[in-house]
């Protein structure tokens, strides 16, 4: 019996095309991987790819950020487009919506030189609507875009213990997971493009609320005469326990190896938390979802940015509360 002819562009053709691309990516596991954005998070993430034996092609808007990768044997390029020319699997880690749009669709963006069939994984935290917009632009160029924002902070990025929340075509998930497991211990498929971002902004809204709550409780206890280490110990064996209290405590001297032990340097910046809370507010408005505590948290972190805390870790909300007579 003669083989059926599958018309290019039909549903059957696209299923066949995806199977071919998935197989080819599996066979090319150690081909170069591009990485754009070598900031506090991107730097250790890219280093973990190097540790796992992947040849890495890097770009950052600040050339000095690429220096140590050159010393590690990575290829350093002059634009995101140059990364796309040298690698057909690219990970991006960028601060905000405008940065992501510029890196993908700008004059020297990835999509200017992207190869057909390339896999593009964006680990930035951006508006789900922007992820969908970039996915459509990538599809028009014959590439596949997935959103894969992360949770865990700089410490988890260094240790390779991040959690990735992935949105995109399900058939491409295993190809993305191969790379993401080099940088994270949890890689979760969330659904179509944009759902990874949705999970991330919900998580960060809760994180902001719990951090403020932990800071308020610790501050009140200290003013009532409790030793902060003792109070933290009690909270962490009681119903108030949360990640902000037992893993990332905001009170200086309670824990080692966290930003509060280092004048709130490093970690996850207040300005980034304010940005993520802004994304949550936009999504809440678009879906008519009441988020009163999320809105209050957004206002608090915006005030912190205006009062000199923008570059400090978001746990510096404890210090902000200590210094404020009232909000």
């Amino acid at each position: 019996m003669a083989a059926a002819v599958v018309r290019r562009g039909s549903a059957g053709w696209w299923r066949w095309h995806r199977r071919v691309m998935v197989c080819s990516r599996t066979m090319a596991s150690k081909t170069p991987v591009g990485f754009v954005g070598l900031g506090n998070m991107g730097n250790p993430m890219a280093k973990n790819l190097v540790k796992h034996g992947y040849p890495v092609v890097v770009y950052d808007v600040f050339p000095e950020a690429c220096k140590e990768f050159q010393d590690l044997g990575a290829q350093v390029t002059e634009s995101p487009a140059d990364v796309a020319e040298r690698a057909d699997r690219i990970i991006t880690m960028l601060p905000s919506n405008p940065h992501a749009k510029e890196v993908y669709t700008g004059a020297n963006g990835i999509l200017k030189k992207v190869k057909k069939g390339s896999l593009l994984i964006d680990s930035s935290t951006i508006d789900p609507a922007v992820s969908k917009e970039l996915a459509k632009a990538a599809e028009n160029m014959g590439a596949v875009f997935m959103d894969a924002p992360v949770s865990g902070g700089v410490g988890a990025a260094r240790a390779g213990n991040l959690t990735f929340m992935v949105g995109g075509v399900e058939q491409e998930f295993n190809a993305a997971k191969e790379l993401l497991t080099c940088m994270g211990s949890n890689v979760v498929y969330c659904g179509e493009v944009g759902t990874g971002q949705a999970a991330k902004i919900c998580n960060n809204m809760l994180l902001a609320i719990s951090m403020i709550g932990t800071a308020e409780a610790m501050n009140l206890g200290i003013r009532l005469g409790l030793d902060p280490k003792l109070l933290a110990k009690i909270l962490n064996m009681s119903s108030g326990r949360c990640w902000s209290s037992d893993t990332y405590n905001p009170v200086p001297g309670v824990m080692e190896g966290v930003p509060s032990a280092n004048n709130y340097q490093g970690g996850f910046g207040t300005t980034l938390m304010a940005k993520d809370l802004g994304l949550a507010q936009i999504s809440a408005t678009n879906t008519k979802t009441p988020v009163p505590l999320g809105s209050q948290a957004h206002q608090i972190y915006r005030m912190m940015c205006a009062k000199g805390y923008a570059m400090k870790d978001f746990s510096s909300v404890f210090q902000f509360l200590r210094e404020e007579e009232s909000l």
Side-chain angles (χ1 to χ4, degrees):
M1 181 182 293
V5 176
V6 180
R7 183 170 57 85
R8 182 181 178 87
S10 67
W13 183 87
W14 279 111
R15 285 194 294 270
W16 169 82
H17 180 70
R18 284 192 180 122
R19 284 198 297 270
V20 170
M21 292 312 305
V22 168
C23 289
S24 65
R25 289 199 188 105
T26 302
M27 291 186 292
S29 58
K30 294 300 183 185
T31 56
V33 177
F35 205 106
V36 179
L38 302 171
N40 288 341
M41 293 292 291
N43 177 293
M45 289 169 66
K47 282 180 180 173
N48 279 324
L49 285 173
V50 173
K51 287 177 185 176
H52 279 81
Y54 288 92
V56 176
V57 182
V58 300
Y59 170 78
D60 192 273
V61 68
F62 298 107
E64 59 271 20
C66 299
K67 174 84 170 60
E68 60 181 316
F69 285 92
Q70 194 165 27
D71 296 340
L72 290 171
Q75 297 180 58
V76 176
T77 65
E78 296 184 359
S79 72
D82 291 341
V83 173
E85 195 171 35
R86 303 186 196 187
D88 60 11
R89 293 178 297 173
I90 302 171
I91 299 167
T92 55
M93 181 52 120
L94 307 159
S96 64
N97 290 340
H99 297 94
K101 288 181 179 180
E102 180 65 22
V103 161
Y104 279 95
T105 62
N108 292 304
I110 288 169
L111 297 184
K112 291 298 180 184
K113 294 185 179 179
V114 71
K115 302 172 186 175
K116 290 190 183 301
S118 290
L119 178 61
L120 312 175
I121 304 171
D122 181 39
S123 287
S124 319
T125 299
I126 58 175
D127 190 325
V130 173
S131 289
K132 292 177 182 178
E133 178 186 322
L134 296 178
K136 185 64 177 175
E139 184 181 1
N140 290 341
M141 299 302 295
V144 175
F145 177 96
M146 304 186 84
D147 59 308
V150 305
S151 179
V154 174
R158 291 194 188 109
N161 290 331
L162 291 168
T163 292
F164 287 89
M165 294 152 267
V166 185
V169 178
E170 188 170 9
Q171 293 93 324
E172 303 289 348
F173 176 63
N174 285 336
K177 188 175 181 180
E178 177 197 325
L179 298 177
L180 299 180
T181 50
C182 297
M183 302 174 284
S185 54
N186 299 297
V187 183
V188 182
Y189 180 68
C190 298
E192 64 182 19
V193 169
T195 56
Q197 298 295 350
K200 174 60 188 292
I201 62 177
C202 289
N203 177 80
N204 274 23
M205 184 176 73
L206 178 58
L207 173 59
I209 293 168
S210 68
M211 180 57 77
I212 294 169
T214 299
E216 288 184 355
M218 293 295 296
N219 188 35
L220 176 60
I222 291 167
R223 292 192 176 189
L224 288 172
L226 286 166
D227 176 80
K229 284 189 176 180
L230 173 64
L231 177 55
K233 180 179 178 181
I234 292 169
L235 292 176
N236 292 335
M237 61 175 63
S238 304
S239 56
R241 179 182 182 181
C242 63
W243 187 85
S244 297
S245 70
D246 73 359
T247 304
Y248 211 81
N249 199 285
V251 181
V254 169
M255 296 183 68
E256 296 181 359
V258 294
S260 62
N262 187 35
N263 194 30
Y264 301 104
Q265 299 303 305
F268 185 62
T270 293
T271 188
L272 291 175
M273 179 56 85
K275 182 264 294 184
D276 289 359
L277 288 166
L279 294 175
Q281 292 304 295
I282 292 169
S283 294
T285 299
N286 290 340
T287 57
K288 297 181 173 61
T289 305
V291 288
L293 293 182
S295 296
Q296 185 63 43
H298 186 213
Q299 292 305 313
I300 290 171
Y301 277 102
R302 287 180 66 194
M303 283 192 289
M304 289 175 64
C305 289
K307 294 195 174 186
Y309 289 83
M311 303 310 294
K312 288 182 177 290
D313 181 74
F314 81 107
S315 62
S316 63
V317 67
F318 173 79
Q319 187 179 58
F320 173 73
L321 293 172
R322 294 279 285 182
E323 293 177 355
E324 289 293 304
E325 287 293 327
S326 67
L327 294 177

